[in-house]
């Protein structure tokens, strides 16, 4: 197994859009910097939470160019490079590797349903072969609720075996702890980095060989989630986990991406942040009010670090 | 309702790939020409059957450039321009409209699941607005088995009402005659062009106001399918329909795209045609032998026109 560039709390960064619906590079750079200041261990830009698949390949590459030009350390970046075609995926990965990104997060091809495991294997293998770079560190992105195409435990094993220097980890957004545990039991021992796709499973994951989490709510709760990561061997771990689980469940009672953007708009005093790109819809005013009231009830804030940074 | 550029038998053209896995423009041009010689009324290039979503936007635009440069009439072309992002879809449509294509076939955004009807509406509206061309003729592409995102009867009505000059038809690949009939009952009377996505529903569709079909098996059976289209008001119609239904069902007992490519490879004496791009897999040798034996049993050939053309 190759060296592991990532561990801890990674954030699939929300993508801000302008009033005209264009990616807002200025706000994006500032938000990425703020997340790192909050203690994020890595930025999984261009994930599902980032509305990456609502952007063209060109728009994604342009935003990455802007981040790097602005001084965000590429080693901290794990851009999503998923695409339905081998050619587009390879283009996105070459661009990311060319910038020195720490890794890339790779969806399976997600248009055609009912494909065989061999077909998915051949797709990923063709992408890696086409990229042809020893610098590539690929994290598989298992998110069957959106893709309907799984990276099964068996398929992950085949890919690790064929590409031990390139296929170095996985984000499990199945929402199914049994699946995460099966992956941990099978591959964590050999140094394969497994990140649950929700902080709800952070403590369980760490106790079974996981290395952190990559979670949407990191956009608004890095300090809370990092407390679990930093203290998972202590007697406080379960209580800390209960706190972040409560925050997560409060937020995910609403459509996740619009809800997170509304929270950012509120706590950063920047209403423009609420914009989403279709097919997503922004929260209605009653939904927004209800969400913010629910968060107030549990005493949710953006965390101490933010207040320090603002002072 | 705007004028209708298409009716009859349209073919979602298979895309040939070279041994290296690249789109094979030479074979593609020759095959499109052959399909038109066979009597195809239009070519719905870059559909699901075309493995369009296994190609980058650039690869699709390059193939369209090559077709037009080779003299294939753009008015006969209905390229698929579906993409998950407004920006990529608009780029593909502008390119097609710029070439004078008769129309475009438009998927809903297909990455995110569970989106609202309003969100899908906003996506399509944003694409049409961004293209901003009175020459656009858009056919909605309803294929929930792949996208999981429907163009519901209500949503179609909203789009027709908002964009009567642009949203002029629909391909229904739901495989559900009740859905096709509901669409026909609601919108065929006003001149909205509805194409079932399989010739199995061709005769039923024509009898209820449909205007033809857009069907994968058109790649290997234009003459047979056109016989139903030309004779649907005659006493022979049901018998002719039974013949093409039998051929369809024989072929779709196998994975459709690899099976069609294998049939083309066989009847055109060109083994290279069997290649697919991952995540699809080509048929195994036993599957191929079984498919060709099944077709021989029902006396299937590529039809009389092909033999004439070859002489």
């Amino acid at each position: 197994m190759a060296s592991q560039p990532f561990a801890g709390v990674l954030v699939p960064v929300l993508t801000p859009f302008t009033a005209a619906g264009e990616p807002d590079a200025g706000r994006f750079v500032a938000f990425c910097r703020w997340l790192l200041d909050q203690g994020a261990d890595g930025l999984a830009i261009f994930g599902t939470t980032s509305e990456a698949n609502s952007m063209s390949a060109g728009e994604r590459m342009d935003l990455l160019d802007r981040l790097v030009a602005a001084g965000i350390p590429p080693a901290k970046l794990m851009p999503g490079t998923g695409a339905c075609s081998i050619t587009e995926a390879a283009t996105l990965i070459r661009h990311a590797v060319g910038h020195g990104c720490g890794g890339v997060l790779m969806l399976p091809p997600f248009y055609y349903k009912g494909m065989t495991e061999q077909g998915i294997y051949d797709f990923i293998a063709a992408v890696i072969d086409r990229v042809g770079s020893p610098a590539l560190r690929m994290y598989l992105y298992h998110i069957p609720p959106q893709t309907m195409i799984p990276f099964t435990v068996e398929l992950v094993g085949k890919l690790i075996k064929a590409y031990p220097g390139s296929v170095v980890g996985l984000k499990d957004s199945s929402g199914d702890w049994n699946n995460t545990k099966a992956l941990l039991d099978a591959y964590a021992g050999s140094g394969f980095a497994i990140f649950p796709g929700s902080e709800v499973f952070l403590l369980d994951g760490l106790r079974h060989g996981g290395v952190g989490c990559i979670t949407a709510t990191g956009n608004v709760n890095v300090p809370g989630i990092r407390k679990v990561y930093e203290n998972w061997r202590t007697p406080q771990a379960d209580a800390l986990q209960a706190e972040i689980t409560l925050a997560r469940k409060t937020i995910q009672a609403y459509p996740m991406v619009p809800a997170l953007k509304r929270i950012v708009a509120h706590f950063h005093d920047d209403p423009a942040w609420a914009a989403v790109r279709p097919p997503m819809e922004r929260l209605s005013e009653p939904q927004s009010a209800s969400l913010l009231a629910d968060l107030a009830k549990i005493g949710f804030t953006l965390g101490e670090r933010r207040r320090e940074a603002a002072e």
Side-chain angles (χ1 to χ4, degrees), chain A residues 9-10 26 56 73 79 121 131 133 153-154 173 204 234 240 243 268 270 278 296 300 307:
Chain A
V9 179
L10 276 69
S56 67
Y121 175 90
V131 171
S133 168
V153 176
E154 295 70 27
S173 292
D204 284 337
T234 73
L240 293 168
E243 272 183 46
H268 291 246
D270 185 358
F300 179 87
R307 283 198 290 276

Side-chain angles (χ1 to χ4, degrees), chain A residues 177 184 202-210 232-235 237-238:
Chain A
W177 168 249
L184 288 163
L202 175 56
L203 186 55
D204 284 337
L206 292 166
R207 285 173 175 165
H208 289 83
W232 74 272
R233 293 173 193 273
T234 73
D238 286 286

Side-chain angles (χ1 to χ4, degrees), chain A residues 11-15 31 34 48-51 199 215-222 225 247-248 250-268 270 273-276 280-283 288 291-292 295 300 302:
Chain A
V11 183
V13 185
L14 293 164
T15 306
F31 191 64
W34 178 79
T48 298
T49 304
S50 318
E51 298 170 82
E199 73 273 32
T215 180
T217 35
N219 282 282
V220 298
N221 197 20
V222 166
I225 301 168
R248 169 83 183 202
T250 302
I251 296 168
Q252 74 182 17
Y254 300 83
M256 182 63 102
V257 175
L260 289 171
K261 286 189 149 180
R262 189 66 189 79
I263 296 168
V264 172
H266 177 78
F267 284 99
H268 291 246
D270 185 358
W273 254 103
V276 295
M280 295 216 181
E281 285 187 282
R282 64 168 75 203
L283 291 197
S288 297
L291 167 64
L292 295 173
L295 289 174
F300 179 87
L302 284 187

